[in-house]
Amino acid sequence: MTYPAGPRTVPTRIRERVGYDRAAVHAVLDEAVVCHVGFVVDGRPVVLPQLHARVGERLYLHGSTGARGLRMAADGGLDVCVTATLVDGLVLARSAFHHSVNYRSVVALGTATVVTDPAEKTAALDALVDAVVPGRSAGSRPADKRELAATTVLVLPLEEVSVKVRTGPPSDDDADLDLPHWAGVLPLRTVPGAPEPAPDLSAGIAVPAHVSGWSR
């Protein structure tokens, strides 16, 4: 299944890299740890990094109830542009002009609204924790009433969405193929290091499997 292509999700150039496949969109959103949320405040653009969680066709974001953007969302919603990008490799060409990156990225447009249902808000916050480390919500204390009151959760329906992908080697000009410069791809991937326990962690608490077995 695919998302519908619309005026705001069809690019003006390199259209062959853009798609609307739901599974591909979901895969990028689920793998990305951080997204960027763009909106307008007092006529000026603002772009902020945020954690996110996808639950079905709904994308959840969160932040402090005092944040300007979240306060604006309480008054009929907030028009946003959410992007998530995964860098899979550095594309090194013979010419500086043709250097690039292999990537998978998603752009989601729409109006984010405040989640007011307590059960949905709690479930969304659990999903946000589990989106960072699957299984972590069950391995930590849930938010209490004070923390819930200090947190705003936004939901963005996934309707105007596209995914853009670049793969493969550099695209050097034929005239540059004999130049004495190395060309190719340097693959990149996100891998965890060894878990570092908090300095005030009580003795005898072992690293849980959802931490030691983390992968993306």
Side-chain angles (χ1 to χ4, degrees):
M1 297 180 62
T2 61
Y3 293 102
R8 300 204 299 173
T9 58
V10 175
T12 57
R13 60 184 301 274
I14 317 182
R15 294 189 179 190
E16 66 275 10
R17 293 185 184 174
V18 176
Y20 306 93
D21 180 74
R22 289 177 186 265
V25 167
H26 294 175
V28 172
L29 291 175
D30 294 350
E31 184 174 344
V33 176
V34 174
C35 70
H36 286 81
V37 183
F39 52 95
V40 175
V41 176
D42 298 330
R44 296 178 181 272
V46 176
V47 179
L48 299 175
Q50 286 197 18
L51 300 175
H52 64 281
R54 181 191 65 84
V55 179
E57 294 298 329
R58 299 161 75 84
L59 188 69
Y60 289 101
L61 309 164
H62 80 300
S64 168
T65 54
R68 285 186 301 173
L70 299 184
R71 293 201 310 268
M72 292 167 58
D75 186 19
L78 179 67
D79 290 334
V80 297
C81 174
V82 179
T83 64
T85 303
L86 303 169
V87 177
D88 296 319
L90 305 180
V91 180
L92 310 178
R94 295 167 180 83
S95 70
F97 180 81
H98 286 298
H99 278 65
S100 186
V101 296
N102 284 338
Y103 63 89
R104 292 164 286 148
S105 65
V106 162
V107 175
L109 304 164
T111 301
T113 57
V114 175
V115 174
T116 57
D117 178 73
E120 183 182 2
K121 183 176 182 179
T122 299
L125 290 172
D126 284 346
L128 283 158
V129 173
D130 286 335
V132 178
V133 178
R136 186 59 187 170
S137 64
S140 58
R141 175 182 65 78
D144 59 27
K145 290 183 178 180
R146 178 184 59 82
E147 293 165 339
L148 287 171
T151 305
T152 296
V153 175
L154 300 183
V155 58
L156 175 68
L158 293 175
E159 296 172 349
E160 290 186 86
V161 190
S162 63
V163 59
K164 191 174 183 181
V165 178
R166 188 206 189 278
T167 61
S171 301
D172 273 308
D173 297 331
D174 290 344
D176 292 333
L177 296 182
D178 292 330
L179 292 176
H181 307 303
W182 188 89
V185 176
L186 181 62
L188 299 178
R189 60 194 180 99
T190 299
V191 295
E196 300 176 359
D200 53 1
L201 185 70
S202 299
I205 299 180
V207 178
H210 64 261
V211 174
S212 61
W214 186 93
S215 66
R216 218 60 176 172

